[in-house]
């Protein structure tokens, strides 16, 4: 697993160096971050399940929220791998279900990553054997959950989501999988 960090200006730090923002984290938090990301993105499903459950209920990880949101925002770099996309969405779900985290400004980043999985023609969708439809269903459900539980934290979020879904649905050039994602996204948000 490749673990990278952002410095305070949004630049990617080279692997192996510890940026100043991360150096202010305790060793325990840094180890927790590394163990959880390895567990979720690794090969052991039982370890992944335990890590996601802890991420969902741990009351002491608020300082790590930007780093986990950054990991979730990596959906574009793994659009060819449905398994990894699914795991990143599970991280997002655990974060939004953690009652001890105040997502605040990170809601928009999570929405962007989730909508990418629902609406974009993923590289994995080229192969008809890949079940990207289930990933889009899950992303739509997660979009709805984020909106209804944290939508009040970002002004204009409802309008932005609806506009994005409508834009994809009305675009005749977009592939069927993108239209499908828009439809299930609208359905998940509810009839209102």
């Amino acid at each position: 697993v490749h673990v990278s960090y952002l410095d305070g200006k949004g630049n990617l730090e080279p692997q192996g160096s510890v940026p100043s923002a991360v150096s202010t984290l305790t060793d325990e938090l840094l180890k927790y971050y590394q163990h959880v990301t390895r567990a979720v993105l690794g090969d052991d499903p039982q370890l992944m399940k335990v890590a996601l459950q802890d991420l969902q209920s741990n009351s002491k990880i608020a300082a790590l929220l930007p780093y986990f949101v950054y990991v979730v925002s990596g959906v574009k770099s793994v659009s060819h791998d449905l398994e990894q996309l699914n795991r990143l969405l599970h991280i997002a779900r655990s974060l939004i279900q953690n009652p001890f985290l105040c997502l605040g400004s990170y809601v928009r980043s999570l929405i962007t990553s989730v909508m990418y999985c629902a609406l974009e023609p993923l590289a994995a969708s080229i192969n008809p054997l890949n079940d990207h439809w289930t990933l889009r269903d899950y992303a739509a459900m997660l979009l709805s959950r984020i909106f209804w539980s944290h939508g009040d934290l970002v002004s204009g979020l409802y309008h932005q989501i609806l506009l994005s879904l409508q834009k994809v649905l009305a675009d005749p050039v977009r592939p069927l999988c993108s239209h499908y994602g828009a439809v299930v996204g609208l359905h998940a948000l509810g009839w209102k």
Side-chain angles (χ1 to χ4, degrees):
V1 174
H2 176 78
V3 179
S4 1
Y5 305 97
L6 289 177
D7 67 8
K9 299 174 189 110
N11 299 317
L12 195 61
E13 292 278 341
Q15 186 176 13
S17 69
V18 178
S20 57
V22 176
S23 64
T24 61
L25 294 175
T26 63
D27 287 340
E28 291 82 23
L29 280 176
L30 190 54
K31 286 178 185 175
Y32 176 86
Y33 170 78
Q34 291 171 337
H35 288 304
V36 167
T37 53
R38 285 185 186 129
V40 174
L41 300 176
D43 294 330
D44 186 348
Q46 185 60 31
L47 192 59
M48 179 183 82
K49 183 178 177 183
V50 170
L52 289 171
Q53 286 174 342
D54 190 69
L55 195 59
Q56 182 176 329
S57 61
N58 195 321
S59 62
K60 300 175 184 174
I61 60 168
L64 293 174
L65 180 60
Y67 303 100
F68 284 121
V69 170
Y70 176 72
V71 169
V72 172
S73 70
V75 292
K76 293 179 183 176
S77 63
V78 292
S79 72
H80 61 283
D81 189 343
L82 290 176
E83 181 75 25
Q84 291 296 352
L85 287 170
N86 199 24
R87 290 170 187 229
L88 293 176
L89 289 180
H90 282 325
I91 292 174
R93 182 175 149 223
S94 292
L95 293 175
I96 64 166
Q97 288 183 329
N98 188 325
F100 303 105
L101 294 178
C102 178
L103 297 180
S105 61
Y106 298 108
V107 169
R108 196 174 297 277
S109 294
L110 290 172
I111 290 277
T112 301
S113 298
V114 170
M115 286 184 71
Y116 179 86
C117 291
L119 300 177
E120 292 303 316
L122 307 169
S125 62
I126 294 170
N127 184 347
L129 299 177
N130 287 338
D131 184 16
H132 58 95
W133 308 104
T134 303
L135 178 80
R136 293 175 195 284
D137 290 339
Y138 183 63
M141 181 277 304
L142 193 55
L143 176 67
S144 173
R145 183 172 282 172
I146 294 170
F147 175 75
W148 291 114
S149 61
H150 300 287
D152 57 338
L153 299 175
V154 180
S155 76
L157 185 63
Y158 180 72
H159 183 68
Q160 176 194 348
I161 290 172
L162 285 180
L163 197 62
S164 296
L165 294 173
Q166 179 186 12
K167 184 179 173 184
V168 169
L169 199 54
D171 187 351
V173 177
R174 298 289 290 244
L176 175 63
C177 59
S178 295
H179 289 169
Y180 177 83
V183 169
V184 294
L186 288 168
H187 178 72
L189 289 175
W191 64 271
K192 290 182 182 180

